[in-house]
């Protein structure tokens, strides 16, 4: 059984350098913005003494550490393939996302400990509105930044950036819930709402941590592309397989930004190697044009390996 594989330069097989710089720049600024937001939240807690705001501030520590890990992972994932990592370093971002999930869970446990330690301690009501206003401003910054990270992370196929964006967006939801609850606590005088809100925040963070870890582990286990993307790949192959008899055993997997595609291409047994290679090149070029950072492996087989009845027209999939 013959086999042909795409042979591309390092530049062609990786993201354009401008896209790499954009992702790395955003990852770096996530550290700066995360640190600034963390400072604002600790000021808000200091002004109010609210355990719920303290729990929100604790989660922001995780945001900063996670941003550092994401920055490191993105820099590593952008390295070209080498002798020891011949398929590239794309999966480095998944390790960063797993670490972020673990840190999220640690933050939740710290919050629960603080709730237990400070249960019954009244919240300072001398400057509650100033503290809540500062925390609200921090939440607005986070919302804007999380949206940008998720949008760019999806566009550039960066698992670490998407995970960081989703984590920050969860922090925004947490902050909004805490602010609404604390306003109610101040207006009604029900101080019990403060520690209760902190517990709810911790449980929400635990759920988010589990979600981040599970999705990242899914990536480490070589998850296939989504069904709609699978069908798009089939359509691209079919549209560019003129001269072949059949395509079967299509398999895909995702590793960070890279998409790996493998399938068997059945051709006439009398077709020359050069002719079959022209078909393969045409398919590979079409896939590279439509799918960023794609790796294609095509196994060329003679017509006696076909799985569909002889005489089948077009280039069907078995």
């Amino acid at each position: 059984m013959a086999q042909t594989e795409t042979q591309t330069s390092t530049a062609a097989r990786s993201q354009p350098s401008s896209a790499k710089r954009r992702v790395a720049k955003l990852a770096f600024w996530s550290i700066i913005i995360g640190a600034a937001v963390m400072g604002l939240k600790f000021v808000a807690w200091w002004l109010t003494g609210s355990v719920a705001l303290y729990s929100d501030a604790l989660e922001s520590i995780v945001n900063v550490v996670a941003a550092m890990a994401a920055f490191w992972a993105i820099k590593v994932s952008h390295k070209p393939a080498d002798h020891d990592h011949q398929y590239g370093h794309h999966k480095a971002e998944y390790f960063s996302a797993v670490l972020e999930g673990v840190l999220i869970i640690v933050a939740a446990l710290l919050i629960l400990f603080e709730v237990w330690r400070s249960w019954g301690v009244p919240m300072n009501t001398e400057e509650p509105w100033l503290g809540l206003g500062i925390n609200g401003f921090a939440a607005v910054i986070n919302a804007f930044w999380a949206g940008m990270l998720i949008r760019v992370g999806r566009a550039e196929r960066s698992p670490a950036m998407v995970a960081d964006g989703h984590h920050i967006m969860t922090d925004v939801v947490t902050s909004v819930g805490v602010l609404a609850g604390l306003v109610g606590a101040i207006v009604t005088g029900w101080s019990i709402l403060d520690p209760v809100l902190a517990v709810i925040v911790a449980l929400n963070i635990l759920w988010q941590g589990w979600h981040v870890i599970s999705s990242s582990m899914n990536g480490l286990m070589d998850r296939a592309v989504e069904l709609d993307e699978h069908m798009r790949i089939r359509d691209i192959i079919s549209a560019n397989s003129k001269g072949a008899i059949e395509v079967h055993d299509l398999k895909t997997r995702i590793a960070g930004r890279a998409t790996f595609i493998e399938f068997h291409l059945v051709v006439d047994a009398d077709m020359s190697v050069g002719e079959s290679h022209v078909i393969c090149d045409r398919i590979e070029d079409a896939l590279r044009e439509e799918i960023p950072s794609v790796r294609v492996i095509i196994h060329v087989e003679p017509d006696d390996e076909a799985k569909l009845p002889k005489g089948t027209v077009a280039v069907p999939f078995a």
Side-chain angles (χ1 to χ4, degrees), residues 55 59 104-105 107-108 111 174 201-210:
S55 68
E59 187 181 4
I104 292 171
I105 292 174
I111 292 169
T174 296
V201 168
L203 294 177
N204 180 53
I205 294 172
L206 281 172
W207 170 251
Q208 178 66 13
W210 168 249

Side-chain angles (χ1 to χ4, degrees), residues 53-273:
L53 289 184
Y54 180 67
S55 68
D56 203 9
L58 276 179
E59 187 181 4
S60 66
I61 297 176
V62 176
N63 290 349
V64 175
V65 176
M68 292 178 179
F71 178 70
W72 169 83
I74 287 170
K75 295 288 285 185
V76 172
S77 70
H78 285 171
K79 290 181 179 180
D82 54 34
H83 181 269
D84 294 325
H85 306 88
Q86 298 179 2
Y87 288 92
H89 301 77
H90 309 288
K91 288 189 177 182
E93 294 195 37
Y94 290 119
F95 290 104
S96 167
V98 170
L99 173 61
E100 181 167 354
V102 173
L103 291 174
I104 292 171
I105 292 174
V106 170
L109 296 176
L110 288 174
I111 292 169
L112 292 174
F113 173 77
E114 180 62 22
V115 170
W116 174 80
R117 190 184 66 83
S118 60
W119 191 273
V121 178
M123 184 177 67
N124 178 16
T125 57
E126 292 182 5
E127 297 287 350
W129 301 112
L130 177 58
L132 294 181
I134 292 174
N135 207 75
F137 177 62
V140 171
I141 296 174
N142 265 348
F144 170 78
W145 192 248
M148 180 177 292
L149 289 179
I150 293 171
R151 184 175 67 255
V152 175
R154 286 174 175 170
E156 305 300 344
R157 302 281 292 274
S158 173
M161 183 163 287
V162 172
D164 200 24
H166 279 302
H167 178 207
I168 295 174
M169 190 60 75
T170 300
D171 191 18
V172 173
V173 175
T174 296
S175 296
V176 171
V178 166
L179 290 172
L182 288 179
V183 168
I186 294 170
V187 172
T188 63
W190 296 349
S191 59
I192 190 66
L193 287 177
D194 185 32
V196 168
L197 282 170
V199 172
I200 294 174
V201 168
L203 294 177
N204 180 53
I205 294 172
L206 281 172
W207 170 251
Q208 178 66 13
W210 168 249
H211 177 73
V212 169
I213 292 174
S214 61
S215 60
S216 301
M217 293 300 293
N218 201 18
L220 288 171
M221 295 296 291
D222 289 336
R223 176 177 58 87
V225 301
E226 299 293 338
L227 179 60
D228 57 344
E229 181 72 358
H230 182 90
M231 297 308 297
R232 186 166 78 98
I233 291 171
R234 284 174 57 112
D235 291 341
I236 293 172
I237 295 172
S238 294
N240 293 276
S241 299
K242 184 178 180 181
I245 296 173
E246 174 187 297
V247 174
H248 59 245
D249 291 351
L250 172 63
K251 299 176 183 178
T252 63
R253 67 183 178 92
I254 298 174
R257 293 176 306 284
T259 300
F260 291 82
I261 301 172
E262 178 180 346
F263 58 91
H264 294 191
L265 182 75
V266 179
V267 299
D268 192 297
D270 296 327
M271 181 178 287
S272 68
V273 173

